[in-house]
């Protein structure tokens, strides 16, 4: 079976291809010749994941999934949420301004609880499925660690004393929101594989 991942991020594609093995061939948007960006105009991760998956499904009519993730901070009513990648502005060269904006907003606030969330939307044989992963934790006061990306240096998952940026990728992957959502989708695909193929996937 071929499965399109509605992303231009080859790193994400390689990561998931490694997890699924040879039974399913993961194709990126570049692989299928789709070179545009799909606007993420939704107000929830679920809406954005659907928008991306559906835009591609309508064109190619092939099994496709899309993911959307971000950081939700309780004291900020769930912000930055769907705006995580563009919190301090669009197209910034490095991530520091986003982290600084968040830390400034939390200045003097005691409740530091937050979570990373990923929602995946899978469309296959005209059916829509959603898979979610959540990791709860706390926002610390000063960034720590050089691994990972985004808000990793200021996020310590519950039950750990290291930030995501102080963990290696394997360690982060055992608990991360993204790997939880991906694993749920993979379990579904593997358990339904024969039925999906029979129905035309
Ligand atoms: P995406 O939907 O996976 O591209 O994630 C959108 C944005 O959420 C990223 O640009 C990051 O700012 C933030 N984000 C998502 N996942 C993570 C993570 O694992 N660590 C740090 N930041 C993340």
């Amino acid at each position: 079976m071929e499965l399109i991942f509605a992303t231009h991020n080859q790193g994400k594609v390689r990561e998931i291809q490694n997890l699924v093995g040879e039974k399913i061939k993961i194709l990126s948007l570049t692989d299928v010749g789709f070179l545009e960006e799909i606007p993420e105009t939704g107000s929830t991760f679920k809406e954005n994941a659907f928008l991306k998956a559906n835009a591609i499904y309508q064109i190619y009519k092939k099994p496709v999934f899309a993911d959307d993730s971000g950081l939700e901070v309780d004291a900020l009513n769930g912000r930055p949420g769907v705006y995580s990648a563009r919190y301090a502005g669009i197209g910034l060269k490095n991530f520091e301004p986003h982290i600084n904006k968040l830390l400034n907003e939390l200045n003097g606030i005691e409740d530091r609880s937050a979570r990373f969330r990923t929602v995946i939307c899978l469309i296959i044989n005209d059916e829509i499925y959603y898979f979610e992963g959540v990791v709860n934790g706390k926002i610390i006061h000063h960034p720590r660690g050089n691994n990972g990306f985004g808000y990793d240096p200021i996020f310590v998952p519950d039950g750990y004393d290291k930030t995501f940026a102080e963990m290696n990728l394997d360690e982060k992957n055992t608990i991360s929101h993204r790997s939880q959502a991906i694993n749920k989708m993979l379990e579904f695909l593997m358990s339904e594989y024969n039925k999906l193929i029979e129905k035309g996937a």
Side-chain angles (χ1 to χ4, degrees), residues 107-179:
N107 202 7
I109 296 179
E110 239 172 67
D111 178 9
R112 315 288 294 192
S113 54
R115 70 204 45 77
F116 277 117
R117 190 186 299 278
T118 293
V119 177
I120 287 178
C121 174
L122 168 71
I123 311 183
I124 196 159
N125 299 334
D126 284 340
E127 304 270 4
I128 302 168
Y129 305 89
Y130 291 97
F131 306 91
E132 188 172 75
V134 170
V135 57
N136 290 301
K138 296 255 175 302
I139 304 298
I140 57 170
H141 290 83
H142 303 284
R144 288 193 334 235
N146 298 312
N147 302 330
F149 68 100
Y151 299 91
D152 281 348
I154 54 166
F155 183 81
V156 174
D158 285 349
Y160 294 79
D161 49 20
K162 287 197 260 189
T163 66
F164 263 172
E166 292 174 308
M167 297 181 178
N168 63 39
L169 191 58
D170 283 347
E171 234 177 322
K172 182 181 169 187
N173 275 344
T174 58
I175 50 173
S176 88
H177 48 306
R178 192 172 299 96
S179 52

Side-chain angles (χ1 to χ4, degrees), residues 1-185:
M1 184 202 297
E2 288 188 337
L3 178 61
I4 303 171
F5 187 176
T7 181
H8 288 294
N9 185 333
Q10 288 297 342
K12 280 189 179 180
V13 173
R14 270 196 301 277
E15 202 177 294
I16 186 163
Q17 182 67 70
N18 258 346
L19 293 170
V20 292
E22 286 174 6
K23 217 167 174 183
I24 298 172
K25 168 93 181 116
I26 307 292
L27 305 172
S28 72
L29 288 181
T30 317
D31 292 332
V32 296
F34 186 91
L35 303 178
E36 297 155 47
E37 287 294 331
I38 304 165
E40 297 185 11
T41 51
S43 56
T44 61
F45 299 124
K46 194 172 171 182
E47 274 174 37
N48 279 337
F50 171 76
L51 279 174
K52 288 187 275 186
N54 190 50
I56 298 304
Y57 192 73
Q58 294 310 325
I59 298 171
Y60 298 97
K61 291 284 172 195
K62 275 183 157 198
V64 56
F65 75 97
D67 70 342
D68 198 38
S69 315
L71 179 67
E72 300 170 344
V73 179
D74 287 341
L76 303 178
N77 297 318
R79 288 196 319 272
V82 290
Y83 302 105
S84 291
R86 46 195 150 131
Y87 198 40
I90 296 172
L92 304 180
K93 275 208 193 94
N94 65 50
F95 209 78
E96 236 176 81
H98 303 296
I99 289 189
N100 288 340
K101 178 174 176 182
L102 190 74
L103 290 179
N104 282 336
E105 285 189 306
L106 284 179
N107 202 7
I109 296 179
E110 239 172 67
D111 178 9
R112 315 288 294 192
S113 54
R115 70 204 45 77
F116 277 117
R117 190 186 299 278
T118 293
V119 177
I120 287 178
C121 174
L122 168 71
I123 311 183
I124 196 159
N125 299 334
D126 284 340
E127 304 270 4
I128 302 168
Y129 305 89
Y130 291 97
F131 306 91
E132 188 172 75
V134 170
V135 57
N136 290 301
K138 296 255 175 302
I139 304 298
I140 57 170
H141 290 83
H142 303 284
R144 288 193 334 235
N146 298 312
N147 302 330
F149 68 100
Y151 299 91
D152 281 348
I154 54 166
F155 183 81
V156 174
D158 285 349
Y160 294 79
D161 49 20
K162 287 197 260 189
T163 66
F164 263 172
E166 292 174 308
M167 297 181 178
N168 63 39
L169 191 58
D170 283 347
E171 234 177 322
K172 182 181 169 187
N173 275 344
T174 58
I175 50 173
S176 88
H177 48 306
R178 192 172 299 96
S179 52
Q180 287 179 43
I182 286 174
N183 286 334
K184 284 183 191 169
M185 178 179 75

